[in-house]
Amino acid sequence: MIVENQQKEDMIVYQVEIEDDGSSIKELLRKKLNTSSRLLSKLKRDESILVNDEYKKYHELVKEGDIIKIIMEEEPSGFKGEDLPFNIVYEDVDLIIVNKDTGIVTHPTKSHPEGTVANAAQHYLNKNGIYCKIRFVNRLDMDTSGLLMIAKNPYAHHVLSEQMQRDQVEKKYIAFVEGIIEKDFGIINAPIHRPTFESIKRVVDCKGQPSLTKYKVLKRYSKATMIEVQLITGRTHQIRVHMEDIGHPLIADSLYGTTSNLIDRQALHASYLKLSQPRYGKTVEIIGNLPEDLIELQMKLDS
């Protein structure tokens, strides 16, 4: 079992239970902690698996009551820390979830080398004496606001990434779309394809990856609809592509629709996450409040 009062960002402490008696360290770490092969190889190379505070090779057997410590020390990310908005809505030993503002890039790029969420995260970690690499579990477009997950160690990143790949993370968005959607509920099942390697824009095409989106109407306005969208799969631009395909592009989505004088970015917000905490397995459920520009958009649509 996980020894809760001894956990750190860079260390997992596990006490061997009776059902684990006679297992090898490798078997136990795979079975009970879902440890990746890559992390196991690194732990072996760095001699970072301790049993009762002594280094052990991971083929050795353990007995009930043994204390296993997995040390995951690593060099911090090389990002420049910047004192930028960093709205944390959840944090634990493995994970930070922030409610990202619009207009901010997640990760530094050639065109945005600074002023990113990664720079803000580095400033926060430095300020609080947390030494870990910054690993994003999900990404959001620069002009999409909402909930963004950052793993604090390679173990958490692996477990959460597997949850994402298996569609075990429940993700919901709030979107404002053009026109009136008549059905209260709907499912869009349409494959999404990237026409060329250079293409930014995706299209619905039979050559694409299977893509499934659920939506429900929250409110209808005179010429627009507010919807809650649940991603069953997680393709790039999935909501934007699917809503454009059914004739209701996001308001102000210049790539898949048209610009708008109501708001200066696509009206999309990642509003909800439900996942399993990596090392404890407890359910984590987070709601990210709407940002000011979408609240203002609601007021404009109401008037």
Side-chain angles (χ1 to χ4, degrees):
M1 63 179 177
I2 296 286
V3 184
E4 294 200 16
N5 62 355
Q6 296 187 39
Q7 303 306 305
K8 297 180 181 179
E9 284 86 357
D10 62 357
M11 183 172 71
I12 299 174
V13 181
Y14 184 89
Q15 184 171 9
V16 177
E17 300 176 301
I18 188 168
E19 63 191 58
D20 306 319
D21 197 288
S23 299
S24 69
I25 296 170
K26 180 179 179 180
E27 289 172 341
L28 189 149
L29 296 184
R30 283 191 177 280
K31 180 174 66 174
K32 288 298 183 72
L33 295 176
N34 191 25
T35 309
S36 69
S37 298
R38 183 176 179 179
L39 179 57
L40 281 174
S41 296
K42 184 178 187 305
L43 295 172
K44 179 181 178 181
R45 185 170 62 249
D46 297 343
E47 298 188 356
S48 297
I49 304 172
L50 305 180
V51 178
N52 303 325
D53 291 324
E54 293 185 7
Y55 166 69
K56 299 289 183 180
K57 295 181 180 180
Y58 68 4
H59 66 269
E60 295 192 35
L61 306 184
V62 294
K63 62 182 184 298
E64 182 186 1
D66 283 346
I67 300 295
I68 299 175
K69 292 182 181 178
I70 304 169
I71 312 298
M72 300 177 288
E73 292 179 352
E74 55 187 353
E75 289 297 316
S77 301
F79 302 123
K80 174 186 174 184
E82 296 181 65
D83 190 3
L84 300 168
F86 194 64
N87 180 21
I88 296 175
V89 292
Y90 175 85
E91 183 176 10
D92 64 26
V93 70
D94 290 313
L95 178 65
I96 297 173
I97 301 178
V98 296
N99 195 1
K100 182 183 92 69
D101 289 340
T102 182
I104 300 178
V105 173
T106 300
H107 197 279
T109 63
K110 286 184 178 180
S111 55
H112 296 88
E114 297 180 354
T116 71
V117 177
N119 298 114
Q122 190 66 65
H123 174 80
Y124 171 79
L125 295 174
N126 293 346
K127 182 180 176 181
N128 290 278
I130 302 171
Y131 301 102
C132 63
K133 280 191 175 180
I134 295 167
R135 292 176 166 90
F136 290 99
V137 180
N138 64 324
R139 301 289 178 98
L140 295 175
D141 296 337
M142 181 175 72
D143 290 331
T144 298
S145 56
L147 299 176
L148 192 61
M149 295 184 281
I150 303 170
K152 291 181 176 178
N153 54 64
Y155 169 76
H157 187 260
H158 165 71
V159 174
L160 289 167
S161 295
E162 281 213 332
Q163 288 183 36
M164 292 280 285
Q165 290 168 8
R166 295 172 181 171
D167 299 322
Q168 294 171 341
V169 177
E170 191 172 329
K171 306 179 289 288
K172 294 180 182 178
Y173 293 70
I174 298 297
F176 296 82
V177 301
E178 295 179 7
I180 308 299
I181 297 180
E182 295 182 358
K183 293 181 179 179
D184 290 338
F185 303 91
I187 298 176
I188 306 169
N189 187 357
I192 293 176
H193 178 59
R194 187 179 189 180
T196 67
F197 182 75
E198 295 80 14
S199 296
I200 296 174
K201 189 173 182 179
R202 271 64 170 173
V203 297
V204 168
D205 190 293
C206 61
K207 297 192 292 289
Q209 295 177 297
S211 305
L212 191 64
T213 303
K214 292 183 178 181
Y215 68 84
K216 71 175 181 180
V217 171
L218 299 179
K219 189 170 184 179
R220 295 181 177 90
Y221 303 94
S222 60
K223 295 182 181 179
T225 308
M226 177 184 180
I227 58 175
E228 179 184 82
V229 183
Q230 182 178 354
L231 289 181
I232 307 304
T233 55
R235 312 302 179 201
T236 300
H237 295 178
Q238 180 171 320
I239 295 172
R240 300 167 70 185
V241 175
H242 274 176
M243 297 317 298
E244 186 268 340
D245 188 61
I246 66 169
H248 295 283
L250 301 186
I251 291 175
D253 188 344
S254 58
L255 184 60
Y256 293 96
T258 59
T259 57
S260 171
N261 59 7
L262 297 173
I263 191 171
D264 60 4
R265 55 103 170 187
Q266 69 250 15
L268 183 63
H269 177 73
S271 60
Y272 175 88
L273 285 172
K274 185 177 180 181
L275 55 101
S276 179
Q277 204 283 340
R279 73 176 77 183
Y280 302 121
K282 68 178 182 179
T283 298
V284 175
E285 193 171 13
I286 304 295
I287 295 173
N289 294 331
L290 286 179
E292 289 185 9
D293 64 344
L294 290 182
I295 293 173
E296 290 175 5
L297 175 62
Q298 283 181 297
M299 294 167 54
K300 291 175 182 177
L301 293 172
D302 272 323
S303 62

